[in-house]
Structure formats: structure tokens, C-alpha cells
Amino acid sequence: MGKHLTIEVEQDHIESLTRGNGITALAELIWNSLDADATEIRINAKTSPINGFESFSVVDNGHGLTYERAEEVFKKLGGSEKRYSNSTPNGRPYHGKEGKGRYKAFALGDLVTFQSIYRDNGASKQFDLTIDRNNLKNPQLSDLHILHEDKQPGFHINILNPNNKCVSEAISPKNRNELKEKFVQYNLSYPGFNIFINNEELDFKSLIKNIYDEPYQVIVGSLIYPVKIIIIEWEFENAKKTYFCSAKGVPFKESKLGIRSSLPISVFIQSTYIEKLHRDNILDLSELDPNLSEILEVAKEAARKYVREQLHIHSREFIDNLKKEKIYPYEQEPSDDISRATQQVFDIVALQVNEYVPNFSDQDKKSRSLTMVLIKEALGTSSSNLQKILTEVIGLPNNKREELSELLEKTSLSNIIDTMKDITHRLNFLNGLELLIYDPEHSKKVKERKHLHQILVNETWVFGDEYTYGADDITLKNVLKEYLQALGRDDFEEIVNQEDNSELRTIPDVCLWRQFSTGKQAEHRNLVVELKKPIVDAGFKELNQIQSYAQKVSKDARFPKERTHWTFILLVREIKDEIEPQLNQSNRNYGHVLANDHFDVWVIRWGNIIQDARARYKFVKDKLNISFSNNTDALMHLKAKYQQYLPEHFGTDDKN
């Protein structure tokens, strides 16, 4: 007779569990078999002589489901034994935990019969449970039969009235690799099972081209969770996904890879922390978990690193050919990290251009050589220039440009190149500035506004890294102009007009000034630097001027005190003995002559500014093996960037 069961949830909730494509549905049924310790799973689709499929079945040799548990499991969603244990009787980690995966069978057809054979006290027992899609809440459970002969335990799922589209997706050879991808990492950890589709065995390992793994850990409170990031490169074009897995490789969730990659890769993130999120039913809300977001970003960076390094390996043969043809634009082997990283990027970009620009390999040697030189020159300036060259000159396809941008601009490789270039620029600039201020021949020609101001307005980082980014502000400009008389600059217009300043920017004072956001709304730091030409030393007159100027400017109502802090610097080559006591006060750094809650006044030697700035980069300079053998680099750097703001004939007499 059997019995009718009633599932204690709403019909629409059960229906939501039945949706999915053929691959997703079949994968859930396979996971159920693996969770039952099956070592052999056979999937068969029987075709209909008329149209489509007649039936679909999944048969395993697992331990089956007892009659008592079946009644509990099918009457109440979430009644699975997986809720009470993390592993199967044979020690495999569970994939599911609430017994909902069985309902994915209805994505494959409308009438599903679950048959269980199991052993109990030495006897083989069997029962069937049938569910009709039209009556999902009321499964029909058969009577329990004791078999007179010993039969192999297992679970049989038979599906009638199949969904032809989903069954086709599930068994189609073209989707076979996608199915294998879902189980490959689990197979590497637990290889003792075989899956057959219409008697054809799924082969996992032959699909793997390469495996790379990277350890990581995430700290949550006082707990440390180890994380393993595994990247698998396939022998086939895949869907490029990231899998969130248990520590043993059981995937609980999958998502898009999140990076552009020309290589067929998948990322498997394995951790007990993911197991915890899965147990707590919050893995699907992973984007709200900052720790998992951190892990995901690390995994993306690891994937980018892997792709970049593999592309570099792939580029070797191509690069060797460029060298044989003598069109490789680098004549020497890299001698430091800057040139090494830059050449690695060049090799990757050049390979992509060769592979994806139509007929590039058919171009004559001169044209290909020019292209290589353009790429090299673009790398020597900025990533934006590289993008422009790839787009407007070389014509690299848009998708490949985006991929290279993803690969090169968002990686530590591009960061180190940019950092190296920035540090090289700054060290060269400091050397050149030192010559400009202290060299007897150059310094006597240097003016405040015409030379120093114009050069330093774009190099405010010399006063500290917090001043790297600044903006001119019209209100600040007007405030400073109004109080210039405090600096003895009432003849400012006359000073400006006495020389040809047609090419100079119209800044209405001889102060270097910038405004910097504090990160809080409407709060700013204003930096004002009073520049003195090298032949002017600081004494009582200059000190009194900058202090009076600072007090007047900082009181201006256009900059509310509670939202503005001012830093005033009198910058000179040398300081007269008469003001040394004011510069050397107790409980303050040398040169800090005046301070309150709203402003600070400093008198600083150029030598201190240059020495402090140089010290900030010395450690990195030594690590990067950047060397400056003489003054030539520094002079050339200043002349290349600030020729119009340098004294006439600057650097022409330098003998290093």
C-alpha cells in the first residue's frame, strides 16, 4: 500500500528548488551520490524512437538511504543527516547539508522515482519514493521490502517525461568538460570514484594542463584560517569560474572568474573559513563578508600573476625570434629590477600584438621593428601612452586591450614599474635641485618667481608625502594676495612686470601655495611656502615677515579656523646666527618657530628639505639598484622638464 507524505513547506518554495539547467541539475545528483560514498555513478539517457528522450537515470553504488530516514528527509526539507556531520561514513566531506539537491531532478523531467537499496542487520532492503511535478508536496512512499537475495546497495533515480532541452545539456559531449570542471578538484583529493555517461567514463586529469597553488591566511578575530588558492589551467576553453570550496576541495559556490584572461583557467579557493560560511548559510552573501572579499581579491591577483607569468613563458620563442632578426628593442640583458620588470611587460605585450593583430607577422621587418620600438617607448612613459599606441597605431582588438589593461595595470608588476619610475624621477629631481641651489655658478642666477616657483609648483612632494597632491584655489589665491604686504611685497605688480613673464602662469604672489583635503568634508590643509632666492639668507627681517603674514592670513574669515590648518614655510639656503635661538626651541623640531592649533610657521634650509626628501627614498633606491654616477642625469632631467624655467645656459659648464 505504501503511504502519502506531506512536505511541510510551501509549494512555491519547493518549485524554486527544481529550477536549473541540465549541467547544474546533473551535478547536484552526482554530488548526492558522492555524499553517499558512491564509487561508481552511471548516468544514462534513453532516447525515444519518436522524439527526444524516453527516460533519464542516475544510478550509484553508495550506501543508500534507510526507510526511516527517507520518511524524515522527504517530509521536511533540511532533514538530511548532512546537517549533523561534516563527513560521510567513509570520510569524504559532504557537499550538501540540507538534502535539497534531490529536487534538481525535476529540472530534468516531471516524474521522478527514487529507489533505495541498503543493508540493515545483514538483510538487503528496498523501497521506492515517487514524486510528480504536479504534486510536489505529496511524495508517494512505497512499503519497505526485504529482499531474499543479497543486492548491491545504492540509490537509483529514474526520471520519466524528460525535459528534452535539459537532458540534452546534461549529456551533450560539448558540455562534458564543464561538468568535469565542477568535480576535478574534488577528484584530486578523493580520486576513488568513477562517473560514466552512457557508458563513457569521465576522464579528469587529462584535461589539466597545469596546476598552481598559493597559500594565504585570513585572520578573523583571534582565529587564523588557512586558505589555499589553486589555479588550474585547462587543455580546453572553459567558462572561467571561481569556486568557493571546503578545505578538501568540495565546491559550495561558484561565480565568474572576475578577471580577463586569455588562458583557460579556473580558481579554486579552499578554506575551513568557507566551510564555516557554508554551515552558517551565509556563503551566498559572500559579497557582504569583508574577510571573504579580501580572500577573493588575493585570489584574483594570484590568477593575474599566473596568467602574466605563463604568457611570459609563452613569449620566449617569439622573443628569441625577434632577437635573431635584430628587431628586439632592448640591446642588453636587464641589470636591475626596473629594466627586468619593464622587459617582462614588453615581452607580454609584444606577444599579444603578434597573436591578435591581423597580418602582423606578414609585415616587413622595418614595420615590425617600428612597432616594437613604439611599444618600448610607450612603456618608458606611461600606461596611458601604451594604451594609445595599442589603439591608434597598432590596432590591437578592443577585447585584447582590455585584457592587457587588466593584466598589466592592476598587478604588482605595473605598480613596481610605476613606483620605480616615480622614485627615479624624484631622486634625479633632488640632485638637480641641489645643484640649482648650491652650485656657485648656477645659484647666483636663480630667481624666486621666474625659476624656483615655476619648478616647485609641480613638485610639492619635496615638503612631505602628504603634499604630493594639491590643487590651486581661487579663494586661497585672493587671501594670499591681500596680505602680501606683510612680506614686503607691496611692489608685487612691479616685480612681475619688470621682466618678460608672458609664458609664466598668472599666480598673483611669489609664494608657492597649494590646498590639500584632509579627507573630512570641507576641511583642508593649506601649504604656503615663501621662497627666497639662494643669495638671500634668513634673518630678523625675513622671520618677522613670515610670522606676521602667517598670523594675518590664518585669521581670515574665508577660511574658518575649525576647518583649516595652515603650514607656512620660509625656505632659504642659509640662516643668519641672529635668529638661531628662535629656530632651536625646546620641545619642537629645529626650525619650528611658531605653532598653535590653527597654523605652524617654519624656517627651513633648502639643504634640510632636500636631505629629508632624499632620505625618504634612499632605502627603496638601494633596493631597486638605482644608481647615479655623476650630475649628468640630474641636469638632463631638470633641463628636459623645466628648460623654460632655468637660468640661461644652465648646466652647459658642468664638468661632472
Side-chain angles (χ1 to χ4, degrees):
M1 287 290 295
K3 62 181 73 173
H4 290 284
L5 304 180
T6 301
I7 301 179
E8 299 169 2
V9 294
E10 295 300 322
Q11 175 84 6
D12 57 353
H13 178 62
I14 304 175
E15 288 178 350
S16 69
L17 302 176
T18 68
R19 302 187 185 108
N21 61 38
I23 290 294
T24 301
L26 179 55
E28 284 295 333
L29 299 182
I30 293 173
W31 279 120
N32 277 350
S33 295
L34 293 173
D35 285 347
D37 281 325
T39 60
E40 183 175 291
I41 304 166
R42 291 188 173 271
I43 297 115
N44 287 285
K46 185 177 180 181
T47 57
S48 168
I50 302 176
N51 184 33
F53 297 93
E54 184 177 302
S55 65
F56 185 85
S57 64
V58 179
V59 179
D60 68 52
N61 65 347
H63 52 60
L65 183 65
T66 68
Y67 193 76
E68 295 76 19
R69 292 294 296 158
E71 187 169 352
E72 179 183 351
V73 166
F74 280 92
K75 281 181 63 176
K76 183 179 180 181
L77 286 178
S80 171
E81 65 270 21
K82 303 172 189 178
R83 298 189 63 195
Y84 310 106
S85 175
N86 293 327
S87 60
T88 70
N90 288 349
R92 290 179 183 170
Y94 280 127
H95 170 264
K97 61 184 175 65
E98 294 186 341
K100 296 177 180 179
R102 69 185 85 94
Y103 288 96
K104 283 290 186 251
F106 290 96
L108 297 164
D110 295 334
L111 186 63
V112 181
T113 298
F114 302 92
Q115 182 185 86
S116 177
I117 301 174
Y118 64 99
R119 288 195 178 100
D120 183 23
N121 293 323
S124 293
K125 299 181 179 181
Q126 175 182 317
F127 67 89
D128 296 340
L129 188 143
T130 302
I131 306 178
D132 189 329
R133 172 182 283 280
N134 297 318
N135 193 14
L136 290 172
K137 288 192 63 176
N138 299 110
Q140 176 68 39
L141 181 63
S142 73
D143 290 329
L144 180 64
H145 302 284
I146 299 176
L147 304 177
H148 298 295
E149 57 183 35
D150 188 32
K151 292 191 68 173
Q152 172 70 42
F155 205 68
H156 302 189
I157 302 174
N158 191 56
I159 302 172
L160 298 178
N161 191 17
N163 180 317
N164 287 329
K165 179 177 181 295
C166 285
V167 171
S168 294
E169 291 173 344
I171 68 169
S172 172
K174 70 178 182 180
N175 295 333
R176 203 65 52 84
N177 289 336
E178 182 181 350
L179 186 66
K180 294 175 185 177
E181 185 178 341
K182 294 179 182 294
F183 295 94
V184 68
Q185 190 58 31
Y186 182 81
N187 180 260
L188 292 174
S189 299
Y190 302 94
F193 67 89
N194 302 97
I195 301 174
F196 300 86
I197 297 181
N198 287 342
N199 296 318
E200 180 183 340
E201 183 176 0
L202 297 188
D203 179 16
F204 294 102
K205 294 182 181 178
S206 65
L207 298 176
I208 298 175
K209 182 175 183 178
N210 196 21
I211 299 179
Y212 167 86
D213 66 83
E214 185 169 303
Y216 187 65
Q217 65 181 27
V218 62
I219 301 174
V220 184
S222 60
L223 299 177
I224 298 177
Y225 291 91
V227 178
K228 182 182 285 188
I229 298 167
I230 298 176
I231 299 163
I232 294 182
E233 182 181 355
W234 306 95
E235 294 283 5
F236 63 93
E237 283 300 320
N238 72 328
K240 298 184 177 67
K241 293 183 179 180
T242 296
Y243 296 88
F244 300 85
C245 309
S246 71
K248 294 295 186 179
V250 178
F252 300 130
K253 178 187 176 183
E254 62 186 59
S255 66
K256 292 182 179 179
L257 189 62
I259 70 166
R260 294 182 176 91
S261 170
S262 58
L263 301 182
I265 63 172
S266 299
V267 175
F268 296 83
I269 304 174
Q270 300 181 191
S271 176
T272 52
Y273 185 66
I274 294 176
E275 294 178 32
K276 177 183 181 301
L277 297 180
H278 180 61
R279 286 195 305 271
D280 295 342
N281 280 328
I282 55 177
L283 185 57
D284 286 338
L285 302 175
S286 56
E287 66 275 4
L288 302 179
D289 185 281
N291 300 304
L292 195 58
S293 296
E294 172 191 331
I295 294 172
L296 185 58
E297 286 305 311
V298 172
K300 289 179 181 178
E301 181 56 33
R304 294 187 188 104
K305 175 185 174 183
Y306 175 83
V307 172
R308 186 178 67 246
E309 291 180 349
Q310 290 303 306
L311 287 177
H312 188 232
I313 292 172
H314 297 167
S315 70
R316 286 176 184 170
E317 182 179 354
F318 171 66
I319 296 303
D320 287 343
N321 289 333
L322 291 182
K323 291 178 179 179
K324 289 178 182 177
E325 290 187 86
K326 296 184 178 181
I327 59 176
Y328 189 68
Y330 298 94
E331 297 180 357
Q332 299 178 343
E333 290 298 315
S335 58
D336 53 48
D337 287 344
I338 295 178
S339 55
R340 188 173 298 108
T342 303
Q343 284 193 37
Q344 184 180 359
V345 173
F346 172 88
D347 294 351
I348 294 171
V349 174
L351 177 66
Q352 297 294 292
V353 169
N354 180 63
E355 290 185 353
Y356 294 101
V357 172
N359 302 320
F360 176 77
S361 59
D362 297 332
Q363 295 178 14
D364 59 58
K365 180 178 177 180
K366 184 176 181 180
S367 297
R368 287 184 291 117
S369 177
L370 176 60
T371 299
M372 297 298 108
V373 171
L374 285 173
I375 295 173
K376 176 189 175 184
E377 293 303 314
L379 283 172
T381 52
S382 69
S383 57
S384 60
N385 283 344
L386 176 60
Q387 291 293 328
K388 189 172 183 178
I389 292 293
L390 294 176
T391 303
E392 299 180 7
V393 181
I394 299 175
L396 192 67
N398 183 61
N399 64 320
K400 301 311 299 179
R401 292 199 309 272
E402 291 177 352
E403 184 181 307
L404 280 174
S405 176
E406 173 87 17
L407 186 65
L408 302 179
E409 293 184 14
K410 296 182 180 179
T411 64
S412 57
L413 180 65
S414 64
N415 290 339
I416 193 172
I417 292 175
D418 291 343
T419 300
M420 290 170 179
K421 291 176 181 175
D422 194 34
I423 290 172
T424 303
H425 154 74
R426 292 186 177 189
L427 290 170
N428 267 321
F429 176 81
L430 290 172
N431 290 345
L433 181 63
E434 189 173 51
L435 287 170
L436 199 63
I437 300 297
Y438 287 98
D439 183 270
E441 290 300 316
H442 298 319
S443 62
K444 64 185 180 182
K445 306 174 186 177
V446 175
K447 307 295 184 183
E448 299 109 324
R449 174 174 174 78
K450 186 175 181 181
H451 302 136
L452 291 179
H453 184 109
Q454 301 301 326
I455 292 172
L456 283 170
V457 71
N458 294 313
E459 310 284 354
T460 49
W461 55 268
V462 300
F463 303 106
D465 290 329
E466 67 270 31
Y467 298 124
T468 300
Y469 303 101
D472 296 346
D473 178 81
I474 190 63
T475 302
L476 177 58
K477 180 187 292 188
N478 292 333
V479 169
L480 297 179
K481 183 177 180 180
E482 188 171 325
Y483 296 106
L484 277 173
Q485 192 171 0
L487 290 175
R489 302 291 187 178
D490 51 339
D491 61 343
F492 176 75
E493 295 298 333
E494 180 182 346
I495 294 173
V496 172
N497 294 328
Q498 68 183 9
E499 298 183 59
D500 180 13
N501 293 294
S502 59
E503 295 184 358
L504 303 184
R505 296 194 302 166
T506 56
I507 300 175
D509 55 69
V510 292
C511 290
L512 175 66
W513 52 270
R514 283 290 174 93
Q515 185 177 85
F516 304 84
S517 173
T518 65
K520 298 180 180 179
Q521 188 173 10
E523 293 188 16
H524 294 88
R525 293 181 62 90
N526 290 329
L527 172 68
V528 181
V529 182
E530 166 66 358
L531 301 170
K532 295 296 183 183
K533 55 189 175 182
I535 62 173
V536 175
D537 298 336
F540 281 129
K541 176 184 176 182
E542 290 76 19
L543 177 60
N544 291 334
Q545 285 177 339
I546 193 68
Q547 287 178 322
S548 174
Y549 184 59
Q551 289 170 336
K552 291 179 180 179
V553 171
S554 63
K555 292 178 181 179
D556 194 284
R558 283 167 283 189
F559 288 92
K561 290 183 178 180
E562 68 276 9
R563 294 184 177 178
T564 308
H565 188 90
W566 297 81
T567 298
F568 296 87
I569 297 176
L570 173 62
L571 190 56
V572 295
R573 185 171 69 174
E574 195 48 75
I575 297 171
K576 296 178 181 178
D577 292 340
E578 62 191 44
I579 63 170
E580 276 292 335
Q582 287 93 328
L583 273 65
N584 200 12
Q585 301 181 40
S586 60
N587 301 321
R588 287 191 200 161
N589 291 327
Y590 180 82
H592 196 180
V593 297
L594 194 61
N596 64 25
D597 292 339
H598 308 298
F599 70 88
D600 296 279
V601 178
W602 296 76
V603 179
I604 303 178
R605 290 182 176 91
W606 276 107
N608 294 97
I609 288 288
I610 294 172
Q611 183 180 10
D612 289 346
R614 186 179 283 138
R616 291 197 298 272
Y617 300 105
K618 184 178 186 304
F619 173 78
V620 183
K621 164 188 172 293
D622 293 342
K623 286 293 183 183
L624 298 180
N625 193 27
I626 301 173
S627 62
F628 303 93
S629 57
N630 51 48
N631 294 333
T632 302
D633 287 344
L635 294 174
M636 292 298 293
H637 180 84
L638 276 184
K639 292 179 71 174
K641 191 170 184 181
Y642 297 114
Q643 178 68 60
Q644 70 270 41
Y645 303 133
L646 291 171
E648 189 176 359
H649 306 305
F650 173 75
T652 55
D653 297 327
D654 183 74
K655 296 179 175 57
N656 299 330

